[in-house]
Amino acid sequence: MLYVFFTAGTEKYAIEAACVKEIIPVVPLRHCPGAPEYICGLIPYRGDVAPVVDISLLLAGAPCSHRLSTRIILIRYSREDGRSRLLGLMAERVTQTVDKPQADF
């Protein structure tokens, strides 16, 4: 399986590439009043709007640093009602993909 690697704090994480719709540079986000602190804002994407989660803030307690390798990973996830939803994950050091068996994780 192909995985996309990123970091949150000092930890390295992977997400299955099949879940990834697109990886884009960090762009200006629309503020989302009343959202939890880890929601950076909203991003328009091809006729849809997606909330963007600062994955580093959520998992490691510190916001993402703005580096050249900081990206927004757009994924689709299935809700409990069976509908899919677009979600952005802002992550650091999104620079590597690796093809490994799932058992290696």
Side-chain angles (χ1 to χ4, degrees):
M1 273 185 183
L2 187 63
Y3 293 90
V4 175
F5 281 90
F6 61 91
T7 61
T10 58
E11 298 294 319
K12 199 168 197 177
Y13 294 88
I15 186 167
E16 202 175 312
C19 299
V20 176
K21 182 151 182 74
E22 190 170 345
I23 298 173
I24 61 172
V26 175
V27 295
L29 302 172
R30 191 169 16 156
H31 182 65
C32 190
E37 184 181 9
Y38 58 84
I39 301 291
C40 309
L42 302 171
I43 183 174
Y45 180 77
R46 299 183 184 182
D48 204 351
V49 176
V52 177
V53 173
D54 184 329
I55 203 75
S56 186
L57 184 59
L58 184 63
L59 297 176
C64 280
S65 299
H66 292 284
R67 308 169 184 265
L68 288 174
S69 62
T70 301
R71 297 282 186 262
I72 297 174
I73 304 168
L74 291 166
I75 63 168
R76 280 225 173 258
Y77 71 94
S78 295
R79 297 176 11 163
E80 289 179 3
D81 62 6
R83 296 186 331 199
S84 72
R85 180 92 171 116
L86 188 63
L87 177 68
L89 305 174
M90 185 182 294
E92 295 178 23
R93 296 186 182 106
V94 183
T95 58
Q96 185 180 22
T97 58
V98 174
D99 194 7
K100 287 188 170 211
Q102 190 174 16
D104 285 0
F105 294 97

